Amino acid sequence: MRRSFALVFTALTLTAGSLLAQQDPHMARALRVLSSTPLIDGHNDLPWAIRGSEVAPHDVEAAEHDLRASTPFHTDIERLRAGMVGAQFWSVYIPFGSTQEGAAKVQLEQIDIALQLIAKYPDVFELALDASDVQRIFASGRIASMMGMEGGHAIENSLGALRAFFAMGVRYMTLTHNGTLDWADAANGEQVHGGLTAFGEEVVREMNRMGMLVDLSHTAPSTMNDALDVATAPVIWSHASARGVRDHPRNVPDQVLRRLPANGGVVMVTFVPSFVSESDEATIADVADHVDHIASIAGVDHVGIGSDFDGISSTPVGLEDVSTFPALFAELSRRGWSEGDLAKLAGENLLRVMMEAETVARRLQRERAPSMATIEELDGGVSQDGSPGGS
């Protein structure tokens, strides 16, 4: 940690950011925190942005995608450094419609893109598989890189596929994306099951047994509550905000936030403009309002940052790309956040979640073997329209 502080602080003294810090004590506080605590961003969609690039789709090696240069994305190395990102969950998102072309195939391709991206810049990124990796990589002055799957449709109702993705390095899975699954209701999907089915509950149990974080972004409140009922490890929301501030189906209700202290989970506040503000133009203050609200309801131990950069077409004013994270921490400092609480928000809360999930996984692996359950066995089969049905 001390080496990272020295490396980053030396670099910052040569930037405009350090000059601003000399004039603004709140920015200075933000930079101190992010120099000694890894800022863990829960969700960045750069792998999908590269896949969908108009100039060189899928091609990590294309000159247009060189992260050492200025890119058309929200993300490149210079801006990651300016934003003091210490660890990044790279989303290996695939669309819900991928089930029609082979979801597992597309998921493998996205994991491949993310792994290529990480391997291309070994002086900047290193794959992290657990909390100790994050701390070690951050201390080396590099960005700890993790992968998060966005949407349980990718496992195609197979616990074996789920385990295979974990073995490839995936460390969280969002249970649903924007469509209800055979085993879980989505926030923006038809409410079919009243939350999780029996197979959906088994997915959560198996994720806990492996040590894969259960991500409840995109899920319906009924699914959130069912997952909290079943989970024996802390859950996360990799990119969501507070419904008590902005009544949007993708946000987390206060009723669920009140359950977080018992579970230990963390809501990583997203920057998606329509999620954080009813106005046509969201601002950094709007995002800070969500951070404040979650901290006031669930507690400061249960909030983090999940930007969704490169997964959104517009951004809040003041949070235009990955270089702007310190501005959010300075804004919260102006609102009275202490350095200790800012450190929790930056990464300490998520590191705790990871460590607790790893501890639970070690215990569960001693107690039981991998689950061989099937959706047909637990839910009585699946009908052609995707809803549970009798055999």
Side-chain angles (χ1 to χ4, degrees):
M1 294 291 184
R2 295 298 179 189
R3 183 183 175 190
S4 175
F5 178 89
L7 287 170
V8 178
F9 186 77
T10 298
L12 283 169
T13 60
L14 302 177
T15 68
S18 66
L19 298 175
L20 178 61
Q22 294 173 19
Q23 302 168 7
D24 182 354
H26 299 290
M27 180 58 75
R29 172 177 287 176
L31 297 182
R32 280 196 302 272
V33 168
L34 300 181
S35 295
S36 56
T37 303
L39 168 59
I40 305 176
D41 178 23
H43 199 87
N44 183 303
D45 272 305
L46 181 61
W48 187 259
I50 290 174
R51 182 189 183 95
S53 167
E54 294 183 358
V55 293
H58 296 241
D59 190 356
V60 173
E61 294 298 324
E64 294 84 356
H65 301 157
D66 183 4
L67 297 189
R68 296 192 192 280
S70 177
T71 72
F73 308 124
H74 293 140
T75 308
D76 56 43
I77 291 170
E78 182 178 355
R79 285 180 287 170
L80 284 167
R81 292 302 195 193
M84 304 190 71
V85 176
Q88 181 67 67
F89 274 103
W90 301 107
S91 173
V92 286
Y93 157 78
I94 67 171
F96 184 65
S98 295
T99 52
Q100 298 172 1
E101 56 177 305
K105 167 185 172 289
V106 181
Q107 186 64 79
L108 290 169
E109 290 172 350
Q110 284 310 104
I111 290 171
D112 178 60
I113 287 174
L115 291 175
Q116 286 188 57
L117 189 69
I118 295 165
K120 183 176 179 179
Y121 309 97
D123 57 322
V124 179
F125 304 128
E126 183 181 339
L127 182 67
L129 299 177
D130 57 27
S132 65
D133 282 348
V134 172
Q135 294 167 314
R136 173 184 57 79
I137 295 165
F138 175 70
S140 77
R142 291 172 295 158
I143 299 171
S145 295
M146 297 169 280
M147 292 185 290
M149 287 168 54
E150 188 173 17
H153 52 286
I155 70 170
E156 297 187 354
N157 299 339
S158 167
L159 296 180
L162 176 68
R163 288 188 288 270
F165 290 134
F166 182 81
M168 293 174 190
V170 173
R171 287 302 177 263
Y172 75 62
M173 183 177 77
T174 317
L175 296 189
T176 70
H177 191 242
N178 284 334
T180 286
L181 306 183
D182 296 331
W183 46 270
D185 287 338
N188 291 322
E190 185 180 358
Q191 305 302 292
V192 175
H193 312 293
L196 291 173
T197 68
F199 182 76
E201 293 177 351
E202 191 72 358
V203 169
V204 171
R205 293 188 189 97
E206 190 63 7
M207 293 174 73
N208 286 169
R209 192 198 64 82
M210 289 188 298
M212 181 186 282
L213 298 179
V214 174
D215 179 14
L216 299 178
S217 305
H218 285 283
T219 63
S222 56
T223 299
M224 297 177 191
N225 279 299
D226 282 356
L228 287 167
D229 289 342
V230 173
T232 53
V235 303
I236 65 166
W237 284 257
S238 67
H239 58 308
S241 293
R243 194 172 291 194
V245 177
R246 166 75 168 108
D247 187 11
H248 190 286
R250 272 285 280 106
N251 290 339
V252 187
D254 286 356
Q255 175 269 324
V256 175
L257 292 178
R258 293 187 185 98
R259 298 191 63 182
L260 286 192
N263 168 266
V266 169
V267 177
M268 306 181 82
V269 173
T270 190
F271 301 169
V272 183
S274 63
F275 296 0
V276 300
S277 175
E278 295 181 3
S279 169
D280 291 338
E281 185 175 81
T283 69
I284 192 172
D286 293 319
V287 175
D289 287 346
H290 285 264
V291 175
D292 273 337
H293 183 84
I294 293 169
S296 70
I297 300 295
V300 74
D301 294 331
H302 303 286
V303 64
I305 300 296
S307 69
D308 208 1
F309 281 133
D310 283 309
I312 48 180
S313 57
S314 64
T315 61
V317 174
L319 292 171
E320 287 80 10
D321 57 39
V322 297
S323 71
T324 59
F325 286 110
L328 177 59
F329 285 78
E331 169 67 18
L332 291 165
S333 174
R334 292 184 193 97
R335 297 181 179 207
W337 281 58
S338 68
E339 291 193 23
D341 287 346
L342 290 173
K344 290 181 177 182
L345 172 71
E348 287 180 357
N349 289 341
L350 208 285
L351 282 171
R352 171 187 54 77
V353 164
M354 293 175 67
M355 288 186 283
E356 290 181 9
E358 292 159 17
T359 298
V360 168
R362 288 191 291 269
R363 173 177 61 80
L364 293 178
Q365 288 167 23
R366 292 192 299 268
E367 295 175 356
R368 64 175 186 260
S371 173
M372 296 294 109
T374 67
I375 194 167
E376 292 81 8
E377 172 190 348
L378 295 181
D379 292 346
V382 177
S383 67
Q384 289 185 342
D385 67 0
S387 60
S391 57

